[in-house]
Amino acid sequence: MSSSREKLIQLLSAHMHTFVSGQWLSEQLDISRTAIWKQIKQLKSDGYQFEAVPNKGYRLISQPDKVSENTIYWGLNTNWLGKTLEHYEEIDSTQRLANQKAQVGAQEGLVIVSDRQTKGKGRLDRNWDSDNAKGIWLSFILRPKLLPSEAPQLTLLTAICLADTIKSLTNVEPSIKWPNDLLINEKKIAGILTEMQAEQDQIHYLVIGIGLNVNQNQSDFPSGLGNIATSLATVANQEFHKQEIIRDLLMRFETYYQNYLTDGFKMIKSKWESYAYKLGEILTYRSGKQRSQGKMIGIADDGALIIEDVHGHKTKKLYSAEIEWF
Amino acid sequence: MLKISEIKDLIKCLDESSLDEMVYEYEGEKIKLKKNQPVSYTEPVSYAQSQKVEPPRTEASLQEADEDSIEVTGGSAPIYDYQITSPMVGTFYLFSSPESGPFVEVGDQITKNTVVCIVEAMKLFNEIEAEVDGEIVEILAENGELVEYGQPLFGVKKK
């Protein structure tokens, strides 16, 4: 998005429902009135409706209810996350495109969002069903000055952002299945895929991908997924405006992330544990080739899962394991 | 890297011959086989032989053991001068998905930016770059294996 349109949206969203003159806008943005008129025209073509009165200026009458660069940007109070944003109606995978952009130097904070994904990506190239416009499918780029071994904490951080958002929209407390799946009533409502390119001691970039089921009915899920997937609409019995949820997620993430960079993982850890699925329960898991059982007692200071053996004697940290959750 | 079947063929050759010992070299790989030697873990052949007398196992674990024995045979004559190590605890993936080919194979020429594998920890997928120019001469971890921080993953002959 051009920087003048960004500023224009900021000004218009700050002066909703009142007239703003073309002259004033042109002074604020330091562009000609003709250029302002062109920007307004672009917003109109995106579905924004203005009343234009000579000598008074423009007044916004209504905004489109859809996801677009403009509608996400409208009211997005972040400093850097989503300040550059690309919206597509259809794309193969937001994760793939974000990775590609990061490889050629895209800045921290670039957000790629698509209405549909034809090849939505889950972990290990597993398919993520997202070939519909009813969910939120987005990926964004981070370039944190952290050690690669600290980066998994950002997956947990993303999970609590999603949990907070889901809770605020539905009034239902979701649970987080370690480390990265969001569940309501034991059904998956959202997932996170984090990919990183790094050297031994330095992160080149991270791409965090989010899939959130929003307006799907149970019948919208392909057969087989209906029993294991759910959506905000199903839980809350109402439809949601996706652009508002995207804004909410980006603002929450930026806030948590800034706090994390200055204050560390502690606050994230306790918040994460408050949402933890099956905390205190006995789990069966496979780590490497070994299948074992143990009680999940929380997460460690680095985000690893802490398991206590069945005798209650020893604890160990799991970084990578297949857990039999259900 | 030599295939299991190829190593088995070599062992068969040696078994059927009057030789006590043989060395096979091909494209920078070297395997040394001896017979009628006391069992010792430093000798690759004894490791491979000891396997034959092990009780029957499932197909999967047999395969694992076979791959282990390759590591030992290769390790007997290190021909690399650089190791790519894991920057974190996690699961080592040589394949990006079960259907796709490996990121790299023995003999592949790599540059600093070549992605050689993925290490997954807490569902974060870390693409590991080689950080050196050279040739992959040995793969030191097994696909799907849990690796430690700093554990060697690849042996590289630097350019």
Side-chain angles (χ1 to χ4, degrees), chain B residues 47 50-51 54-66 68:
Chain B
Y47 198 87
S50 70
Q51 219 183 297
E54 273 172 7
R57 304 193 200 181
T58 64
E59 210 176 281
S61 62
L62 229 185
Q63 207 181 349
E64 284 157 12
D66 281 342
D68 284 345

Side-chain angles (χ1 to χ4, degrees), chain A residues 129 131-132 134 214-223 225-226 231 233-234 239:
Chain A
D129 179 64
D131 193 7
N132 67 70
K134 296 188 175 183
V214 181
N215 288 328
Q216 290 98 332
N217 298 315
Q218 280 316 100
S219 60
D220 288 323
F221 294 112
S223 60
L225 281 187
S231 68
T234 307
E239 294 226 331

Side-chain angles (χ1 to χ4, degrees), chain A residues 267-280:
Chain A
M267 189 267 288
I268 308 295
K269 175 181 180 287
S270 55
K271 187 99 187 170
W272 192 95
E273 283 177 334
S274 75
Y275 284 119
Y277 180 62
K278 294 212 167 166
L279 187 70

Side-chain angles (χ1 to χ4, degrees), chain A residues 241-257:
Chain A
H241 305 293
K242 292 200 302 176
Q243 65 275 22
E244 292 171 10
I245 301 175
I246 293 170
R247 274 201 300 270
D248 184 66
L249 272 173
L250 297 177
M251 293 192 286
R252 273 183 212 277
F253 185 91
E254 188 180 284
T255 308
Y256 272 126
Y257 182 74

